[in-house]
């Protein structure tokens, strides 16, 4: 959701942003600016009529006190009132159209975002760690997990259908170890406050963070109860402060949560059908920050470093890329993806996205802070995966596999076993 002043004062720049993002309905910006213009005209006319009604009402009082006939002038007051109601109805209609269009617009892009049409145009920033060399052909994680009897996909499919799985024995323990390790690192070393949040949220929450209304078909919704299974803990964590004003001295606020996440994966038919890479339910440790606008770039880089630190501690090789204009999410202003190396799949795989939304989500969710001069201003929100557990699990199996089919556990996780 964008600032109306920005829309009217930077119309051509906004159109260029939409083109870079691959947004097809560019003409909707002209429709939006016309609605804003008409709304202002209606508002001006309504204000003038209210002033006239107030002036005439005072005249009615004077005539009444003097014992005069107020029939004619009262009729004119009634007529003005009817005109005001008519304009207010038009205002409501224009406001509804304005909100509907604005909620469907993507965020403004950071100048650092490279131009591009797809993931192939993303730009590698740097690589960290050494890609392991094997004296044998490395296996993919799903083969390793099944041979160890740590992962059972057949039982997952029996319970829930495709893209489902179950963990067993030490495999279940590995998932729990990763969760505890990530949460302890983020809370004890990185300064986040751990929060437990619901995994079902209302429509207002999904709208505030940008999943609704445009991407409604991509998520699981419980129609009878008007609730939604969360696609990520970003949704409940960000909405903790929806419709609230945060005292300035409390910023920045950093929160983290471990939750299950639910994705329909509607657009991924045929992609990564085996393994833990693309599933309908997975676990993730999420990071969310609320900060003042002037601090958001620094806090964004800090969160990226926090997510990277998990991979460094796990001794997993990875690279950081900046997403191009055609691949970045609609809600984000700038996003860095962390991709971990997968020897068995012989490719890099996204394991975290760290995004700065600026005031995009805060405007939708009315998340503000009161500055020292008493003004209410929109915060900036930042979020990232810290990390996705299933993909981290898969990366450990592939990077630490032995020729005999066993897997070494990273040193940092041994205390949890």
């Amino acid at each position: 959701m964008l600032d109306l002043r920005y829309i009217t004062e930077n119309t051509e720049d906004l159109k260029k942003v939409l083109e870079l993002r691959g947004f097809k309905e560019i003409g909707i910006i002209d429709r939006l600016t016309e609605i804003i213009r008409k709304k202002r005209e209606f508002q001006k006319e309504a204000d003038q009529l209210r002033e006239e009604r107030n002036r005439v009402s005072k005249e009615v009082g004077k005539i009444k006190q003097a014992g005069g006939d107020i029939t004619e002038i009262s009729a004119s007051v009634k007529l003005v009132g009817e005109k005001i109601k008519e304009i207010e109805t038009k205002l409501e209609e224009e406001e509804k159209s304005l909100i509907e269009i604005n909620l469907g617009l993507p965020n403004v892009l950071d100048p650092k975002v490279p131009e591009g049409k797809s993931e192939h145009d993303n730009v590698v920033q740097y690589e960290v760690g050494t890609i392991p060399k094997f004296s044998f052909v490395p296996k993919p994680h799903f083969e390793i997990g099944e041979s160890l009897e740590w992962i059972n996909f057949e039982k997952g499919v029996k319970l829930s259908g495709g893209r489902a799985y179950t963990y067993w024995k030490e495999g279940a323990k590995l998932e729990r170890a990763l969760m505890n390790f990530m949460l302890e690192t983020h809370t004890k070393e990185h300064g986040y406050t751990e929060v437990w949040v619901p995994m079902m949220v209302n429509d207002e929450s999904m709208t505030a963070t940008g999943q609704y209304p445009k991407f409604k078909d991509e998520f699981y919704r419980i129609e009878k109860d008007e609730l939604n299974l969360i696609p990520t803990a970003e949704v409940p964590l960000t909405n903790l402060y929806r419709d609230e004003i945060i005292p300035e001295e409390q910023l920045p606020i950093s929160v983290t949560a471990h939750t299950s996440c639910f994705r329909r994966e509607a657009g991924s038919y045929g992609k990564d059908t085996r393994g833990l890479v693309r599933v309908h339910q997975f676990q993730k440790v999420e990071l969310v920050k609320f900060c003042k606008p002037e601090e958001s770039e620094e806090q964004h880089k800090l969160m990226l470093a926090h997510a990277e630190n998990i991979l460094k501690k796990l001794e997993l090789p990875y690279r950081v890329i900046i997403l191009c204009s055609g691949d970045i999410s609609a809600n984000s202003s700038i996003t860095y993806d962390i991709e971990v190396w997968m020897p068995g799949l012989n490719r890099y795989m996204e394991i975290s996205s760290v995004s700065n939304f600026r005031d995009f989500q805060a405007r939708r969710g009315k998340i503000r802070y009161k500055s020292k001069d008493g003004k209410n201003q929109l915060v900036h929100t930042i979020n990232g995966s810290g990390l996705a557990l299933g993909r981290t699990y898969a990366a450990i199996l592939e990077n630490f596999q032995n020729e005999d089919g066993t897997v070494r556990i990273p040193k940092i996780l041994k205390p949890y076993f």
Side-chain angles (χ1 to χ4, degrees), residues 59-194:
E59 290 296 322
V60 170
K62 291 178 182 178
I63 295 171
K64 199 172 182 179
Q65 279 186 343
D69 185 3
I70 61 170
T71 304
E72 186 176 342
I73 195 169
S74 293
S76 67
V77 171
K78 184 180 179 182
L79 183 62
V80 170
E82 289 173 354
K83 287 183 179 180
I84 291 173
K85 285 183 179 179
E86 183 180 333
I87 293 172
E88 286 176 343
T89 299
K90 291 180 180 179
L91 269 171
E92 288 177 6
E93 291 173 354
E94 296 297 338
E95 180 69 16
K96 185 178 179 181
S97 298
L98 188 152
I99 292 173
E100 183 178 345
I101 294 174
N102 203 359
L103 283 174
L105 293 178
N107 200 354
V108 175
L109 293 172
D110 187 290
K112 293 189 289 295
V113 173
E115 293 185 18
K117 295 183 178 179
S118 71
E119 61 185 49
H120 302 295
D121 299 314
N122 295 335
V123 180
V124 176
Q125 303 295 288
Y126 50 85
E127 297 179 2
V128 178
T130 303
I131 292 177
K133 295 181 180 180
F134 298 90
S135 59
F136 58 94
V137 178
K139 296 178 180 179
H141 64 278
F142 44 84
E143 290 185 12
I144 301 168
E146 285 179 320
S147 65
L148 290 172
E149 297 183 348
W150 285 10
I151 310 175
N152 190 311
F153 294 101
E154 287 185 7
K155 291 191 182 297
V157 171
K158 181 170 71 172
L159 296 173
S160 303
R163 299 186 187 273
Y165 58 95
T166 57
Y167 289 138
W168 293 71
K169 305 175 183 178
E170 296 300 297
K173 197 169 186 178
L174 176 57
E175 175 89 355
R176 181 157 45 91
L178 283 169
M179 176 192 72
N180 287 326
F181 157 65
M182 291 178 188
L183 286 173
E184 287 189 11
T185 301
H186 291 312
T187 54
K188 293 181 180 179
E189 296 184 25
H190 301 154
Y192 291 79
T193 299
E194 184 178 352

